[in-house]
Amino acid sequence: MTTRFDAIIIGTGQAGPFLAERLAAAGQKVAIVERKLFGGTCVNTGCTPTKTMVASAHAAYMARKAADFGVTIAGDVSVDMRRVKARKDAISETHKVGVEKWLKQMENCAVYEGHARFESSRLVRVGSETITADQIFINVGGRALVPPIPGLEHVPYLTNSSMMDIDFVPEHLIVVGGSYVGLEFGQMFRRFGSKVTIIEKGPRLIQREDEDVSAAIQEILEGEGIQLRLNAECIGFSNHGGEIGAQLNCAGGPNEVTGTHLLLAVGRRPNTDDLGLDKARVELDKRGYIAVDDQLRTNVPGIWALGDCNGRGAFTHTSFNDFEIVAANLLDNDPRRVSDRIPAYGLYIDPPLGRVGLTEDEVRKNGRPALVGRRPMTKVSRAVEKGEPRGFMKIVVDANTREILGAAILGVGGDEAIHSILDVMYAKAPYTVIQRAVHIHPTVSELIPTMLGELQPLTDRARVRAPEAAASVQLA
Ligand SMILES: Cc1cc2nc3c(=O)[nH]c(=O)nc-3n(C[C@H](O)[C@H](O)[C@H](O)COP(=O)(O)OP(=O)(O)OC[C@H]3O[C@@H](n4cnc5c(N)ncnc54)[C@H](O)[C@@H]3O)c2cc1C
């Protein structure tokens, strides 16, 4: 027997539960389906647990540096990974249970536990049950990409999900992938006490960032003893009686790295391959993401896709914003759109990177006249006082409109301070609004107006000023 609803939501990530609440509150009969962990990636294997572990790693780092602050710690600093994991588990569990209880107690909302598959554009099967609705919202997220590298079948490997079970300090962690996930895990495990080697096939880390940002991050990580192998493509793995060997196609350095544990952090793939989308005739793009329009409608009327599975964002805040866009259009007569969103994200190495808008390189490529401002963290009192002068901040503005085009703050508090820039970008106000604002002393944010008062034309010469950032890193 098929049960009829007004709306079906597949997945309980960062969009689905909020949409369920809005639809149910509007009097609609809602079904929400979850196949595994309530709350999805962010809560269980992504943002929450990793940032909890980053905090433990920061505590270890600060404990080792305690003497610099005049604080004496008797004996060696050591890390009890079982307690690190227990702290992480407790925080994640609270979120997961919170989402589950919230949904199960929600009026007008039925929770189905199991894997959902379309049988047609209006019919979804969950185990032995079938449910139908005229509106279906897909919020199935993604998972770690496991590339078909020869020999992978002979070695144990970890992904961001299985890393959550680690309750010991690996002797030597090999991380394949020098982007966001790989760098966060790499630095935290180095601080926990592992030897860490990060293998990246490109010439620099996080290649979508500007070269000076990549260079400063490289110095931060190398300064903490992380081995980086750049321009090194992993072409095979072998099992050396318990040790893992990663064979590299590289120009310089040994062509094999051996370690005790292997983390694959080479990207994500959407959970769209086992959803019966062909039966619903929902179109995918060539990377396997669900194709959507600016208001997140798929090609099939009555089916929407939200969150990581639509390829329009890869973050918790973008998935939540997808919920806001769909709810505004359906319930509030407010035509919100994805294209209203300004790209913004953090990289949670320590110190963190806060990023908004275009990179300097992107501005340069699109050729519009621009101004750029820079300031090393060595010239930010708050950073110096905190004993963390690594990194730098920079901002690019349109020379004609005076609107801010993009910014990066790599440094202590960078993930928070970036928001004053983001908000002025949303206001479409000229940069002079921040330049003339009186910010609180001493903060990282107080130097944003100063930086904006020292803008220079964006030329090729300005680009080679990255050594400022390097100098600040060496001081740490
Ligand atoms: C290591 C790591 C760190 C991260 N850190 C950050 C960060 O600091 N900040 C940030 O903004 N983002 C971060 N992200 C990204 C963030 O986790 C995701 O962008 C976010 O979770 C949004 O996901 P979502 O809503 O699309 O779906 P998800 O959270 O992935 O949830 C999808 C849900 O759908 C369920 N599901 C899938 N298929 C089916 C099916 N067929 N039937 C039923 N249920 C199904 C899944 O079990 C899952 O619960 C991180 C990701 C990783 C991997």
Side-chain angles (χ1 to χ4, degrees):
M1 206 179 79
T2 298
T3 312
R4 169 160 284 281
F5 291 91
D6 296 314
I8 296 170
I9 299 169
I10 305 175
T12 65
Q14 293 302 309
F18 301 98
L19 187 60
E21 186 181 52
R22 280 295 316 271
L23 294 171
Q28 299 197 21
K29 197 178 158 206
V30 178
I32 189 162
V33 193
E34 175 51 58
R35 70 176 177 190
K36 207 172 173 197
L37 301 172
F38 284 87
T41 308
C42 178
V43 165
N44 297 288
T45 59
C47 336
T48 306
T50 54
K51 270 78 253 183
T52 306
M53 292 164 81
V54 164
S56 290
H58 180 71
Y61 176 73
M62 291 305 284
R64 290 192 193 100
K65 281 175 56 118
D68 297 353
F69 294 81
V71 176
T72 307
I73 294 180
D76 287 343
V77 174
S78 64
V79 172
D80 181 342
M81 275 306 289
R82 282 201 290 208
R83 288 176 65 183
V84 170
K85 180 176 178 297
R87 176 176 182 274
K88 179 265 294 174
D89 288 345
I91 293 173
S92 277
E93 184 73 9
T94 308
H95 289 297
K96 185 190 83 177
V97 171
V99 174
E100 182 172 358
K101 274 193 186 156
W102 174 38
L103 289 171
K104 287 185 173 168
Q105 289 168 5
M106 200 178 280
E107 216 177 311
N108 287 341
C109 181
V111 175
Y112 286 79
E113 292 185 61
H115 186 101
R117 266 184 211 90
F118 282 90
E119 300 226 319
S120 76
S121 61
R122 292 289 176 269
L123 192 69
V124 171
R125 172 169 293 282
V126 187
S128 58
E129 302 188 68
T130 49
I131 50 181
T132 184
D134 288 339
Q135 306 172 102
I136 302 182
F137 305 92
I138 307 170
N139 178 216
V140 292
R143 61 186 187 273
L145 177 71
V146 178
I149 300 177
L152 195 56
E153 66 280 14
H154 302 306
V155 296
Y157 64 86
L158 297 154
T159 65
N160 69 288
S161 299
S162 46
M163 282 302 279
M164 296 298 122
D165 300 329
I166 298 288
D167 64 355
F168 56 91
V169 178
E171 196 180 312
H172 183 176
L173 179 66
I174 301 173
V175 180
V176 181
S179 198
Y180 305 86
V181 173
L183 299 191
E184 289 181 17
F185 277 115
Q187 188 190 40
M188 79 170 83
F189 274 89
R190 178 68 193 138
R191 289 178 169 193
F192 291 147
S194 297
K195 186 176 173 195
V196 172
T197 304
I198 298 177
I199 300 169
E200 166 55 49
K201 71 176 176 185
R204 59 190 176 88
L205 299 172
I206 43 169
Q207 289 179 74
R208 88 175 59 135
E209 304 301 337
D210 284 325
E211 276 176 40
D212 52 359
V213 173
S214 292
I217 289 173
Q218 178 173 343
E219 293 215 43
I220 288 169
L221 298 180
E222 286 182 330
E224 294 190 20
I226 292 173
Q227 304 287 323
L228 296 180
R229 295 295 310 273
L230 302 175
N231 284 312
E233 185 168 4
C234 229
I235 49 168
F237 293 103
S238 50
N239 197 327
H240 301 309
E243 283 246 303
I244 297 164
Q247 283 86 48
L248 307 180
N249 183 4
C250 56
N255 57 9
E256 185 175 58
V257 173
T258 53
T260 55
H261 294 79
L262 169 68
L263 167 64
L264 295 179
V266 290
R268 310 271 303 159
R269 60 175 293 188
N271 289 326
T272 53
D273 47 338
D274 190 14
L275 201 50
L277 288 173
D278 50 336
K279 291 190 178 157
R281 289 195 290 278
V282 171
E283 281 171 9
L284 302 177
D285 69 15
K286 52 181 182 292
R287 299 173 305 149
Y289 289 89
I290 298 173
V292 289
D293 67 11
D294 211 15
Q295 287 165 327
L296 303 168
R297 293 174 290 226
T298 69
N299 62 304
V300 178
I303 303 183
W304 290 256
L306 300 85
D308 289 10
C309 68
N310 66 26
R312 304 292 292 269
F315 302 100
T316 282
H317 45 277
T318 50
S319 179
F320 183 79
N321 181 233
D322 284 358
F323 141 67
E324 294 178 311
I325 291 166
V326 170
N329 277 282
L330 289 180
L331 301 171
D332 304 333
N333 195 25
D334 179 358
R336 293 181 69 173
R337 292 168 187 278
V338 180
S339 51
D340 296 336
R341 190 155 77 204
I342 297 170
Y345 48 87
L347 162 64
Y348 293 91
I349 59 160
D350 177 45
L353 169 70
R355 272 273 301 115
V356 293
L358 300 175
T359 63
E360 183 181 333
D361 214 35
E362 285 167 340
V363 175
R364 216 179 279 282
K365 278 183 186 139
N366 78 24
R368 66 172 113 179
L371 305 172
V372 62
R374 300 169 200 274
R375 174 158 286 257
M377 285 291 158
T378 45
K379 291 190 182 169
V380 175
S381 298
R382 184 74 166 148
V384 175
E385 289 149 10
K386 285 189 163 182
E388 183 52 279
R390 298 180 294 179
F392 68 104
M393 57 170 88
K394 72 169 170 180
I395 193 160
V396 185
V397 307
D398 188 304
N400 295 330
T401 65
R402 300 193 299 168
E403 282 187 19
I404 297 169
L405 300 173
I409 304 182
L410 172 66
V412 62
D415 52 334
E416 299 287 349
I418 199 82
H419 284 91
S420 69
I421 297 173
L422 181 60
D423 292 340
V424 170
M425 290 173 77
Y426 271 111
K428 298 189 189 308
Y431 75 83
T432 45
V433 169
I434 310 191
Q435 191 200 347
R436 291 175 189 190
V438 180
H439 284 190
I440 296 167
H441 173 76
T443 58
V444 172
S445 301
E446 89 180 301
L447 275 306
I448 296 172
T450 312
M451 175 172 66
L452 284 166
E454 298 167 352
L455 295 176
Q456 301 286 327
L458 181 65
T459 63
D460 280 344
R461 210 170 140 261
R463 190 182 193 173
V464 293
R465 290 183 61 203
E468 267 186 1
S472 69
V473 170
Q474 281 155 14
L475 277 176

